[in-house]
Amino acid sequence: MGLSDYELKLYRELQNWEETFFVEETNDFERMYDYWLEESIELIPDELRERFFNNLDQWLFYVQNAIQQSQNVNEKIELILTQAQIHNNQIQTVADLKLLPIEQLNHFANQQISNHQLLSLFQGGMSGSGHTLLLGADLPLMLTINLRAVQLIGSTYGYDMRYPFEMMIALKVFYCATLPKRFQKMFWQELMEEVTNASIPFLYEGNEKITDASWLTRPLSQILKGWFIYLFNKKKETSNSLFSIVFSAGINYAITKKVVSFAKRFYQYRLLQEKLDNH
């Protein structure tokens, strides 16, 4: 099918975004940090290093699968389908959502974006209260919230997360969105090639390796944030607690905003490209 005037305009906007978003000059500090991180990782014995990243990948797969199977996510997808049936009563499955104009799919995606940004803001504020248990849960909860957001955004554009291929693509979208921008362009190109050239759209036959040293910047930043909040709240002053709550909520909100915006553009671009290719 061809593109409507709105879809063609959006497609051109996404192409312009692709050309400008990934352009970033690496400064001396970033190069020094990359070198330090890479050298630090190289000091770890090969077997231990490989085991670490394999375990990290497996944990992300586990979280991704647990989210997909959760009742809450299934209920949200059913709600999206129910809302979609108001506009087209032929819609029965997630894949059928592609029958709707992308304007309507954007509306569904924006609902998920708003909900997850608020959830991230609340979760960040709770972590910023300085309670040890909440601080310890900050990183896994942030990963869960953002992975869940990517899954639901992908679902609104007609990509069924019950299939291994879509599960892996959603995980890679999350990974790419949370990479430092200087590493994103290459991975974005690989991701777009992967969805374009997939021979079997349900089974995943590509590289299942996800994490590497370049991605560790994000979890390390969250850990440092937690350590800062812990030290800051040791003084037990009300003003300090309020500052740390706002600080933590703001950081988590900003991360989720970055992830959901990236995921929305990826699935918009993918859907419009599919429509063009099938025309």
Side-chain angles (χ1 to χ4, degrees):
M1 68 184 73
L3 299 184
S4 66
D5 290 342
Y6 174 82
E7 289 174 332
L8 186 58
K9 179 176 178 291
L10 177 59
Y11 184 72
R12 288 170 177 165
E13 288 175 355
L14 290 168
Q15 286 181 313
N16 291 332
W17 170 83
E18 184 181 33
E19 291 175 1
T20 59
F21 179 78
F22 300 106
V23 177
E24 180 178 272
E25 293 293 333
T26 305
N27 58 44
D28 291 338
F29 174 78
E30 289 172 331
R31 284 193 292 269
M32 183 178 66
Y33 178 80
D34 292 340
Y35 176 79
W36 170 82
L37 186 59
E38 184 177 348
E39 288 295 306
S40 299
I41 295 295
E42 288 295 326
L43 292 175
I44 303 174
D46 292 345
E47 183 179 349
L48 187 60
R49 183 171 64 247
E50 184 176 355
R51 188 187 307 165
F52 170 77
F53 285 114
N54 285 340
N55 288 339
L56 186 56
D57 286 349
Q58 288 299 319
W59 183 76
L60 288 173
F61 295 149
Y62 172 78
V63 173
Q64 178 86 323
N65 188 57
I67 293 169
Q68 194 275 324
Q69 295 185 18
S70 69
Q71 182 178 352
N72 182 264
V73 167
N74 290 328
E75 288 174 352
K76 286 188 175 297
I77 292 174
E78 287 299 321
L79 179 59
I80 293 171
L81 291 174
T82 300
Q83 292 174 333
Q85 287 165 357
I86 297 173
H87 304 277
N88 187 332
N89 58 16
Q90 294 182 333
I91 292 174
Q92 300 296 325
T93 67
V94 170
D96 292 339
L97 289 168
K98 295 179 183 180
L99 298 172
L100 288 179
I102 200 168
E103 298 97 308
Q104 189 60 53
L105 301 183
N106 289 341
H107 173 69
F108 295 149
N110 288 337
Q111 289 179 329
Q112 300 304 322
I113 287 172
S114 298
N115 291 340
H116 284 82
Q117 285 178 333
L118 286 173
L119 183 60
S120 186
L121 187 72
F122 175 76
Q123 184 268 320
M126 293 292 290
S127 298
S129 65
H131 191 283
T132 306
L133 182 62
L134 294 174
L135 276 176
D138 182 57
L139 179 57
L141 285 176
M142 270 300 293
L143 288 171
T144 301
I145 290 170
N146 286 285
L147 279 169
R148 182 175 179 266
V150 173
Q151 282 195 23
L152 286 170
I153 291 170
S155 296
T156 62
Y157 287 100
Y159 297 98
D160 196 330
M161 296 298 152
R162 291 175 300 176
Y163 298 125
F165 182 83
E166 295 303 337
M167 288 277 286
M168 181 59 72
I169 293 302
L171 188 55
K172 289 191 172 186
V173 170
F174 164 77
Y175 170 81
C176 189
T178 50
L179 276 173
K181 187 176 284 189
R182 56 192 181 275
F183 300 119
Q184 284 182 316
K185 183 176 182 179
M186 181 179 69
F187 198 84
W188 166 269
Q189 292 171 340
E190 292 177 0
L191 192 54
M192 294 302 295
E193 288 177 8
E194 192 164 12
V195 297
T196 301
N197 300 326
S199 57
I200 304 176
F202 307 117
L203 302 178
Y204 186 78
E205 300 177 322
N207 182 12
E208 295 187 359
K209 182 174 174 56
I210 303 294
T211 56
D212 57 18
S214 60
W215 183 72
L216 291 180
T217 300
R218 175 53 57 203
L220 285 175
S221 297
Q222 285 295 110
I223 293 171
L224 287 174
K225 184 201 76 172
W227 181 245
F228 171 79
I229 291 171
Y230 173 76
L231 293 178
F232 202 70
N233 279 283
K234 285 183 71 175
K235 297 180 180 180
K236 303 295 184 181
E237 294 180 11
T238 303
S239 58
N240 288 348
S241 297
L242 181 60
F243 174 81
S244 64
I245 289 172
V246 173
F247 172 73
S248 179
I251 287 180
N252 286 19
Y253 177 86
I255 293 170
T256 298
K257 182 178 180 180
K258 176 182 175 182
V259 170
V260 295
S261 297
F262 190 93
K264 180 183 177 183
R265 286 188 173 95
F266 170 81
Y267 284 108
Q268 284 177 327
Y269 206 148
R270 182 183 174 187
L271 178 58
L272 293 176
Q273 189 64 58
E274 284 182 7
K275 288 187 176 184
L276 277 174
D277 293 342
N278 294 329
H279 178 54

